Amino acid sequence: MNSVPDYFGSLVFDDRAMKAKLPFGVYDSLRKTIDEGASLNTDVANAVADAMKDWAVEHGATHFTHWFQPLTGITAEKHDSFIASSPDGGVIMEFSGKNLIQGEPDASSFPSGGLRATFEARGYTAWDPTSYAFIKDKTLCIPTAFCSYGGEALDKKTPLLRSMQALNKQAMRIMRLFGNTDVKCVRTCVGPEQEYFLVDKDMYEQRKDLVFCGRTLFGAKPPKGQELDDHYFGAIKPRVAAYMAELNEELWKLGILAKTEHNEVAPSQHELAPIYTTTNIATDHNQLTMEIMQKVASKHGLVCLLHEKPFAGVNGSGKHNNWSMATDNGVNLLTPGETPHENAQFLLFLVAVIQAVDDYQDLLRLSVATAGNDHRLGANEAPPAVVSMFLGDELTAVLDAIEKDEPYSGVEKTVMKLGVHTLPRFIRDTTDRNRTSPFAFTGNKFEFRMLGSSDSIACANIMINAAVAESLRQYADKLEGAENFEGTLHDLIRSTVKEHKRILFNGNGYDDEWLKEAESRGLLNLRTTPDALPAMLEKKNVDMLMRHRVYSRAEIQARYEIILENYCKTVNIEALTMVDMARKEILPAVAAYEKDLADTLEAKLKMLPELTGRYERRTIAKLSGLVDEIDAAAEELDRATIRLKTINDVAEASYYIRDVILHKMAELRVVCDEAEMLTAEKYWPFPTYEKLLFGVR
Ligand code: ADP
Ligand code: MG
């Protein structure tokens, strides 16, 4: 088990393992299920289960679990052991097709937003055969969807799979129109770039804010932050390098194609990117990656922070969602083609995405809305909360030419004739990448950059897939009935560009000027989660999501409530943690330091009565003022949390948080951070920013 190819995927029941373990007929049926969604009969399921169990037991597994993604954001599992008693007093290892295909976790404590009445608390899990089973902690994990008995999705995988189906259905209509008869399906692919921070575990444990909230709620700026940018792509420190090496190994064993890793802009911030794969597998892999990142960190005396904004004043962490569409025979539909015909097809898929992003800006924005990500979007290192798209100069020029019916002169300086029957041929984008755009075309994929680092990528991809499916549906409806295909196609591309070009912006997304311009273009600026979420219930959005069977009405309502509830709970915990730390740790520490100063002053004056004691007096005076302010601010915040408890409506509660609680939290923080700057370091009750950010060597 030394070389990577030897152990890559060794803990996955992947195609190699299936081929090796399954009788040929069984393998064939399973492959059909995986590739074409054919249903699996009981005999085949039993044979698969048996082989899977044998393979898992050979690899040291003792238990199995259905592994699923409830609406809490993390993954859930309920372990059962394989053992069954045998008549001779021993045990046998047992696992049936029924165990494989369906499970019944006692799921009454997962959030359901009212979808699952308590009398039928036992939702069920159903195997997703398109995502391979794997072994983690001696447990065979079977990726599953999680539904109520009424069939409503209680998880993130089910709507993601539905959205992929919706996109496939509409994209296939387009493929047929372009005469692609050999294509069997269109899949969306994703490569998520995952950012994270590493901090020392001992220091982490001394901070209640990190332990309870995953982010610091206090902390004065250290003398050095990220201003030198000297950490980015700098040499990786030995302790971090050891961590990354083990992380890679663990991920590779699980068949996760972890490819690149490097330091990020902020001190102690890093990134890991896998090679892209089918969206539902990429989603499962990203959930696993986040879990393994934390587990491996712990072994190295580190803690991996996945929060979007662990530290004020330094960059937060996001997750770039690189998204594309590809046919089953490996053609990327977002790659500009060689011939005008191929280019017409490319342009149609391109404008489908443009229209989708413009029409459903609100859904994209709210798909990444969390309390944590609110600190990041719109801050000066993250994309703004306004959704816009970057295409690069060349593609923009192509679309411009189409819109104006003018000849296009590309980089090659060859003038393309643009008549009704011809569409331009152009070469791949050569312009620099725009790093500030929320939704950027990067050659053969779109990079959606608004996702938070701790988010499941499912939510964003559900919305992207559904919205693009909707554009494609409209196009297919028009084109299928068209008498003149090429002419209709040309007009369609042209009118789409005209209608939706307001979403295109190639400039600097961090610029304040842009926010003003975006407003004049009528683009949405949904700054916070409470601002964004109500759009989920808007008719145009509900209609679209229901039309493509991505969500039912009840599922949309449930998700709206769960996301807002989660937002409220998260901030409430933060507020309570702040009050607790201010009262139990910060105020006593400052008081102790004041006493020390007062004792010093008294001793000094006794010895040398002619001294002024300027330093002690002034510091005590300033700190005394601050402790009173801290005390008052803590009390106000405390009161606000009590008031919050009395608000029953979840939307109203979220507004109260946005308008009152977050401000009171900020006020408390300011005075505490000021006190930190005046207090002797050895009195400060928990590790400072300096230690946290520069403490891992
Ligand atoms: P960056 O410069 O942003 O780091 P990279 O080219 O290194 O970009 O790619 C980042 C991510 O994009 C990787 O996870 C990669 O697998 C993914 N990616 C590359 N091509 C595609 C594609 N066609 N579809 C989806 N994701 C892709
Ligand atoms: Mg990127």
Side-chain angles (χ1 to χ4, degrees):
M1 288 266 291
N2 303 334
S3 81
V4 180
D6 283 344
Y7 68 77
F8 185 86
S10 59
L11 297 179
V12 185
F13 194 66
D14 58 14
D15 199 60
R16 295 173 303 180
M18 286 178 191
K19 266 203 191 109
K21 293 283 170 193
L22 295 172
F24 186 73
V26 175
Y27 170 81
D28 228 29
S29 309
L30 180 57
R31 208 59 251 177
K32 271 215 174 66
T33 302
I34 294 171
D35 296 336
E36 295 159 35
S39 61
L40 213 57
N41 75 39
T42 319
D43 290 348
V44 175
N46 280 329
V48 174
D50 212 44
M52 218 185 243
K53 181 240 341 176
D54 287 346
W55 169 84
V57 171
E58 267 168 39
H59 286 77
T62 53
H63 289 65
F64 69 92
T65 180
H66 279 199
W67 183 79
F68 57 102
Q69 296 159 36
L71 297 167
T72 46
I74 48 166
T75 53
E77 26 193 273
K78 175 199 168 210
H79 298 187
D80 277 310
S81 80
F82 288 122
I83 63 166
S85 57
S86 81
D88 63 3
V91 291
I92 51 167
M93 302 301 249
E94 213 176 61
F95 184 56
S96 68
K98 197 169 157 289
N99 290 149
L100 168 65
I101 287 173
Q102 190 161 320
E104 284 190 58
D106 177 10
S108 47
S109 57
F110 293 112
S112 68
L115 279 178
R116 178 169 25 75
T118 30
F119 61 83
E120 48 151 9
R122 296 173 75 84
Y124 71 92
T125 51
W127 182 32
D128 167 16
T130 58
S131 183
Y132 297 133
F134 56 90
I135 296 171
K136 181 168 67 73
D137 300 330
K138 298 194 172 191
T139 301
L140 173 68
C141 297
I142 301 147
T144 52
F146 178 37
C147 296
S148 77
Y149 272 105
E152 274 114 357
L154 297 171
D155 68 346
K156 300 186 179 179
K157 186 189 266 282
T158 307
L160 180 67
L161 291 170
R162 292 178 189 157
S163 75
M164 291 169 69
Q165 268 166 21
L167 186 134
N168 173 48
K169 184 173 162 195
Q170 304 304 332
M172 283 303 291
R173 292 174 68 193
I174 303 287
M175 295 312 287
R176 295 290 181 254
L177 283 165
F178 277 91
N180 297 293
T181 47
D182 52 338
V183 175
K184 287 207 204 75
C185 72
V186 172
R187 295 192 189 100
T188 56
C189 302
V190 166
E193 300 164 64
Q194 175 74 49
E195 290 181 335
Y196 61 98
F197 279 86
L198 287 177
V199 296
D200 186 86
K201 195 175 180 184
D202 290 337
M203 293 189 205
Y204 167 91
E205 276 162 1
Q206 292 169 52
R207 295 200 53 136
K208 287 190 203 179
D209 48 5
L210 285 179
V211 172
F212 293 144
C213 313
R215 75 172 179 112
T216 57
L217 300 167
F218 300 101
K221 279 202 180 66
K224 181 185 175 203
Q226 65 183 50
E227 45 282 279
L228 293 178
D229 278 346
D230 51 354
H231 178 68
Y232 192 54
F233 283 120
I236 295 174
K237 293 177 186 134
R239 206 167 149 200
V240 176
Y243 164 77
M244 286 177 169
E246 186 172 342
L247 176 61
N248 275 340
E249 206 169 296
E250 291 304 314
L251 294 175
W252 288 338
K253 281 189 218 160
L254 287 166
I256 296 172
L257 292 150
K259 173 87 174 161
T260 49
E261 69 223 350
H262 56 77
N263 293 344
E264 268 298 328
V265 179
S268 78
Q269 190 186 29
H270 312 280
E271 181 189 287
L272 181 142
I275 296 174
Y276 68 96
T277 176
T278 316
T279 309
N280 68 318
I281 295 171
T283 304
D284 287 354
H285 280 180
N286 183 249
Q287 290 298 126
L288 261 179
T289 300
M290 292 194 284
E291 187 183 326
I292 307 287
M293 274 178 157
Q294 285 167 311
K295 203 181 282 170
V296 173
S298 177
K299 284 169 76 179
H300 290 253
L302 298 166
V303 173
C304 170
L305 299 178
L306 290 169
H307 194 282
E308 285 73 19
K309 195 75 181 175
F311 304 100
V314 295
N315 280 3
S317 298
K319 188 140 56 187
H320 291 177
N321 190 81
N322 295 274
W323 180 94
S324 64
M325 296 173 270
T327 65
D328 58 320
N329 40 23
V331 177
N332 180 348
L333 298 175
L334 292 176
T335 305
E338 293 297 321
T339 63
H341 183 76
E342 280 172 6
N343 263 337
Q345 184 185 299
F346 160 72
L347 283 172
L348 189 66
F349 280 107
L350 182 81
V351 297
V353 182
I354 295 173
Q355 178 180 342
V357 175
D358 187 26
D359 281 346
Y360 299 100
Q361 298 160 43
D362 45 3
L363 287 181
L364 292 178
R365 168 64 186 93
L366 70 85
S367 76
V368 299
T370 58
N373 216 13
D374 280 1
H375 296 288
R376 190 179 148 262
L377 295 179
N380 61 2
E381 86 283 357
V386 179
V387 180
S388 70
M389 291 174 98
F390 166 86
L391 291 185
D393 294 341
E394 187 169 13
L395 260 187
T396 308
V398 169
L399 296 187
D400 239 27
I402 293 174
E403 189 206 339
K404 299 190 180 114
D405 251 342
E406 277 170 1
Y408 158 73
S409 59
V411 174
E412 293 167 313
K413 295 284 171 232
T414 42
V415 180
M416 308 289 168
K417 258 208 133 23
L418 242 174
V420 177
H421 297 286
T422 44
L423 281 155
R425 174 171 179 263
F426 50 89
I427 57 167
R428 252 176 82 155
D429 188 68
T430 47
T431 48
D432 254 343
R433 290 187 186 183
N434 181 327
R435 300 240 158 233
T436 65
S437 174
F439 210 108
F441 185 69
T442 47
N444 59 0
K445 61 183 173 13
F446 277 99
E447 193 167 333
F448 184 33
R449 301 188 174 125
M450 290 172 91
L451 286 77
S453 47
S454 68
D455 260 358
S456 159
I457 62 170
C459 306
N461 285 294
I462 290 166
M463 296 307 181
I464 299 173
N465 294 344
V468 174
E470 173 59 19
S471 314
L472 295 174
R473 181 192 70 85
Q474 293 176 16
Y475 302 166
D477 281 356
K478 279 197 189 118
L479 292 169
E480 279 168 359
E483 277 173 25
N484 174 349
F485 177 73
E486 296 232 313
T488 312
L489 175 65
H490 178 80
D491 292 346
L492 184 61
I493 293 175
R494 187 160 172 242
S495 63
T496 307
V497 173
K498 221 181 213 141
E499 247 169 80
H500 297 286
K501 66 177 178 189
R502 64 169 186 167
I503 197 79
L504 303 178
F505 176 63
N506 284 349
N508 183 358
Y510 297 174
D511 204 342
D512 283 342
E513 283 302 305
W514 162 236
L515 291 186
K516 277 185 225 144
E517 191 188 325
E519 200 185 323
S520 71
R521 290 188 189 190
L523 300 180
L524 296 168
N525 185 5
L526 302 168
R527 291 191 44 248
T528 67
T529 302
D531 296 321
L533 254 290
M536 191 144 184
L537 305 180
E538 272 172 30
K539 186 171 181 320
K540 84 160 180 31
N541 294 333
V542 173
D543 285 352
M544 185 277 280
L545 291 167
M546 286 178 66
R547 178 178 304 127
H548 294 281
R549 298 180 196 285
V550 172
Y551 285 123
S552 69
R553 190 179 297 280
E555 286 169 351
I556 293 173
Q557 181 70 36
R559 260 145 244 260
Y560 162 81
E561 276 163 31
I562 289 167
I563 294 168
L564 277 184
E565 230 166 62
N566 194 36
Y567 171 84
C568 295
K569 282 183 189 160
T570 304
V571 182
N572 188 45
I573 292 169
E574 291 180 348
L576 295 175
T577 304
M578 283 191 93
V579 172
D580 184 283
M581 288 172 78
R583 285 183 174 161
K584 295 194 199 149
E585 298 186 276
I586 296 175
L587 285 173
V590 178
Y593 179 50
E594 282 182 302
K595 176 164 187 317
D596 189 350
L597 285 170
D599 290 350
T600 310
L601 181 63
E602 197 187 340
K604 262 164 103 169
L605 292 181
K606 211 180 217 170
M607 202 192 312
L608 300 163
E610 70 278 16
L611 291 178
T612 61
R614 176 191 143 102
Y615 160 65
E616 291 82 0
R617 282 180 203 278
R618 277 167 46 96
T619 310
I620 292 169
K622 279 192 237 165
L623 283 174
S624 299
L626 279 170
V627 289
D628 287 350
E629 286 183 66
I630 293 171
D631 182 54
E635 195 171 326
E636 282 214 25
L637 181 56
D638 197 16
R639 279 217 196 100
T641 61
I642 292 167
R643 162 95 181 82
L644 178 65
K645 267 194 239 158
T646 66
I647 305 174
N648 290 323
D649 180 72
V650 69
E652 217 177 289
S654 75
Y655 298 141
Y656 184 71
I657 285 172
R658 179 194 62 190
D659 301 334
V660 179
I661 301 240
L662 287 170
H663 294 281
K664 300 225 174 287
M665 286 167 64
E667 281 162 16
L668 176 56
R669 176 173 186 150
V670 168
V671 279
C672 289
D673 290 359
E674 264 179 57
E676 185 193 324
M677 295 297 284
L678 289 171
T679 304
E681 206 163 309
K682 65 173 186 185
Y683 278 87
W684 202 247
F686 38 76
T688 59
Y689 266 32
E690 190 179 313
K691 292 191 179 121
L692 286 168
L693 285 168
F694 297 94
V696 177
R697 305 253 132 232

